[in-house]
Amino acid sequence: MNGAASLSLTCAKGELPPLPRANALVSLLETMTPDKEPAKLASLLLALSEAVEEIELDDVLRDINEDRSVAGYQPVRNVDLVATEFELRKRTYLNAVRDLVDRLPSKVIVKLVDHLVDKSTNGGQRHAPPVIQDLVDVYETGAQEFIRRETENVQALLWRARAAIPHGEDSVSKVYEDVERAALSFNVVTKPIQIVSQANGVDHEPSSDLAFSIRHLALDLHNDHGWHVLPDRITAFLAANFPKLGNIQEKVAEDAEYLRSAAEERSRAQERNAEYERSLEYTAEIGLMFKDTVTINASGITWQKRRFPLDVITRLRWGGTRHSVNGIPTGTSRVIFVGDATSEFTIHLRNEAIYDNVVERLWKGVGFRLLVEHVARLKQTGSFPIPGGLIRDDGVTLTRRRMFGSNETVLLGWHEVNIWNGDGNFFIGKKDDRSVHSAMSYQGIDNTPVIENLIRAFFKSEKPRPSQLLD
């Protein structure tokens, strides 16, 4: 066994008291060559750190005085003298460690410091010993240029990712792959610093700033653009690769929960939308000898080879007319009008079940949207016209018709308004004077069902104004 190996074994077994063991280990460090494996170098440095930790100044003073007594010298009575010399000695230890590190290749230094920090702090669960803390301080100082350069690289990549947003999520994802690679490279070097900072109860600020910059991309993609696949990926990446940053981990955990809840709500919304679309689907044949087919679904309504997408329909009317001969009922004819701003088609039918099914789906797919648009119109302009008057947000303008003399415009507050049905019309009138009214034919006036449902819903809501109906 050579001398260095024997000394290392002796030190490892703790056969020497802490101070001479530390001195021996430093002597051994000075003989180490850069070709040693990081794990072996780490073991030696950990042994030195443990030896320094075990040194008790009272024990050192006792040993010194025992030696002085044997030699016939007066004892040292002031422990402060020993403390001063010990501080000088610790600087010698640190210088020896620095000299060793300076002789190592960069990749070996990173692996060595990472191993030392992980072992000495138990993964950040306890403070690093002074020797290791001093080594990490030196390491961090040497890594400043790398940290600055890689931070700028990540920020530039994040800017590129944002610039790619107009081109879609796939384009941003391709740029983001480079963000991950750069962040992982950053983490390889800064991980030991992050661990020691965590053990000291703080986050490594450059690492925290970089992680939050990446997180902000995820937030913007989700909140401003409605994306979810890439934000999920970014959140998972931050959780897995920045575990030693308490602040970012807390926020990432909140983000993950929010994204999980948002995903569940998307799933529920998709199911609701699918159910809504299924509820609109209906097909029926109309006619006895010569049949035509009416088809309605989420994309539109088709009748006699004419089609209106649901979202372009602006006008709806429907109703039925009872027929009789010599006072004997002969049935009811029914009609449905569907139109956009420039054209319309008319469905004539007698089958009540088909009529009810088509009307129900038209109301669900178009009528409610038109009701919302009428409410928005009240909110924006304060009124919209009806035959012989106006529906206003604060009431109704109607006409009093006179047999002799000019008609009179009457302004009514909503508390003065009454509504009723009769003879195929929807009536809006004054409660105590039916000569003041507007008659809206279900078959002749566009969107009469929409206006009727709006007013009935407003009366039931007890809101002060119909423009607040959907608030």
Side-chain angles (χ1 to χ4, degrees):
M1 182 180 296
N2 61 39
S6 176
L7 179 59
S8 177
L9 181 60
T10 299
C11 294
K13 290 181 177 180
E15 294 178 1
L16 294 174
L19 181 59
R21 188 175 358 130
N23 292 334
L25 287 167
V26 167
S27 297
L28 183 57
L29 277 180
E30 293 170 346
T31 68
M32 300 296 288
T33 57
D35 59 352
K36 292 295 182 182
E37 296 178 9
K40 293 181 180 179
L41 293 174
S43 296
L44 186 59
L45 290 172
L46 286 171
L48 172 61
S49 175
E50 291 170 1
V52 173
E53 283 283 282
E54 293 173 12
I55 294 172
E56 296 288 345
L57 294 183
D58 288 339
D59 293 342
V60 172
L61 180 60
R62 183 199 62 216
D63 293 341
I64 290 173
N65 283 335
E66 287 178 355
D67 291 340
R68 291 177 68 86
S69 176
V70 171
Y73 293 108
Q74 291 292 322
V76 177
R77 302 190 181 281
N78 188 350
V79 73
D80 291 340
L81 294 175
V82 177
T84 300
E85 290 299 321
F86 181 60
E87 289 302 318
L88 294 173
R89 191 62 189 161
K90 284 200 292 186
R91 282 202 280 279
T92 300
Y93 299 155
L94 180 59
N95 289 335
V97 172
R98 288 177 177 176
D99 290 342
L100 170 65
V101 171
D102 286 343
R103 298 196 301 272
L104 299 176
S106 297
K107 291 184 179 180
V108 176
I109 294 173
V110 172
K111 292 180 180 179
L112 172 63
V113 175
D114 183 59
H115 186 78
L116 281 171
V117 168
D118 188 59
K119 291 292 185 182
S120 64
T121 66
N122 191 26
Q125 299 303 308
R126 58 173 179 259
H127 290 292
V131 171
I132 305 301
Q133 180 73 63
D134 289 342
L135 175 59
V136 172
D137 290 343
V138 173
Y139 174 82
E140 182 175 5
T141 299
Q144 288 303 309
E145 177 58 25
F146 170 85
I147 292 173
R148 182 196 62 78
R149 188 172 63 250
E150 285 303 296
T151 298
E152 290 179 353
N153 183 33
V154 171
Q155 295 295 349
L157 290 169
L158 290 172
W159 182 89
R160 282 180 51 202
R162 292 179 184 279
I165 289 174
H167 304 291
E169 193 164 3
D170 288 343
S171 296
V172 178
S173 295
K174 290 177 182 177
V175 179
Y176 175 69
E177 290 175 2
D178 293 333
V179 173
E180 284 192 352
R181 281 191 286 269
L184 290 173
S185 175
F186 176 93
N187 254 11
V188 168
V189 174
T190 59
K191 178 185 171 186
I193 309 172
Q194 293 174 20
I195 293 175
V196 170
S197 297
Q198 179 195 38
N200 292 336
V202 296
D203 284 340
H204 179 232
E205 188 171 344
S207 297
S208 183
D209 290 345
L210 182 137
F212 272 106
S213 294
I214 298 173
R215 173 180 178 257
H216 289 154
L217 174 64
L219 293 178
D220 292 345
L221 294 179
H222 184 274
N223 296 339
D224 296 343
H225 302 280
W227 297 357
H228 52 88
V229 175
L230 189 52
D232 282 345
R233 173 178 171 179
I234 295 173
T235 301
F237 174 79
L238 293 173
N241 293 283
F242 290 88
K244 304 304 179 183
L245 302 178
N247 287 341
I248 190 66
Q249 284 300 307
E250 180 181 348
K251 293 298 182 183
V252 165
E254 293 175 1
D255 294 345
E257 176 59 24
Y258 174 76
L259 291 172
R260 183 193 63 77
S261 298
E264 291 180 353
E265 179 54 34
R266 279 196 307 275
S267 178
R268 289 191 292 268
Q270 290 168 355
E271 179 55 35
R272 289 194 299 269
N273 187 60
E275 177 60 30
Y276 166 76
E277 292 185 356
R278 287 192 294 269
S279 73
L280 292 180
E281 294 176 358
Y282 183 72
T283 299
E285 290 185 336
I286 299 173
L288 296 177
M289 294 182 61
F290 303 100
K291 296 183 181 297
D292 286 306
T293 299
V294 59
T295 300
I296 185 169
N297 53 42
S299 62
I301 181 169
T302 303
W303 169 248
Q304 294 180 334
K305 298 182 180 180
R306 294 190 64 189
R307 178 175 181 80
F308 284 118
L310 297 188
D311 58 359
V312 305
I313 296 172
T314 58
R315 298 181 293 127
L316 292 175
R317 309 193 305 277
W318 51 65
T321 303
R322 294 187 180 92
H323 302 282
S324 63
V325 176
N326 297 325
I328 300 174
T330 59
T332 301
S333 63
R334 296 171 176 84
V335 63
I336 300 172
F337 302 88
V338 179
D340 61 12
T342 59
S343 62
E344 70 178 26
F345 61 61
T346 306
I347 305 172
H348 294 277
L349 67 166
R350 285 183 172 270
N351 188 298
E352 183 178 6
I354 296 176
Y355 172 85
D356 288 343
N357 273 293
V358 174
V359 166
E360 176 190 351
R361 286 159 175 79
L362 278 174
W363 176 256
K364 184 181 295 185
V366 179
F368 184 74
R369 170 176 61 79
L370 295 180
L371 185 152
V372 172
E373 291 174 0
H374 278 69
V375 171
R377 189 172 174 183
L378 283 175
K379 184 171 290 189
Q380 293 166 4
T381 67
S383 67
F384 58 79
I386 58 173
L390 288 173
I391 300 294
R392 307 193 318 272
D393 202 22
D394 60 351
V396 179
T397 299
L398 297 175
T399 301
R400 175 180 282 115
R401 292 171 174 79
R402 301 180 185 277
M403 184 175 297
F404 303 102
S406 301
N407 293 337
E408 177 188 358
T409 299
V410 179
L411 305 180
L412 302 178
W414 281 112
H415 65 285
E416 300 176 275
V417 173
N418 189 29
I419 57 176
W420 67 95
N421 309 94
D423 299 325
N425 295 297
F426 171 62
F427 290 93
I428 306 173
K430 193 172 186 294
K431 282 183 177 179
D432 56 0
D433 186 354
R434 286 205 170 188
S435 68
V436 180
H437 70 268
S438 172
M440 302 177 63
S441 168
Y442 287 106
Q443 296 186 37
I445 302 299
D446 289 334
N447 297 324
T448 294
V450 175
I451 295 171
E452 177 182 8
N453 277 280
L454 188 159
I455 294 174
R456 292 190 184 280
F458 165 59
F459 284 162
K460 289 181 180 179
S461 73
E462 299 183 352
K463 295 285 183 69
R465 293 174 178 266
S467 64
Q468 299 172 341
L469 183 59
L470 302 177
D471 292 348

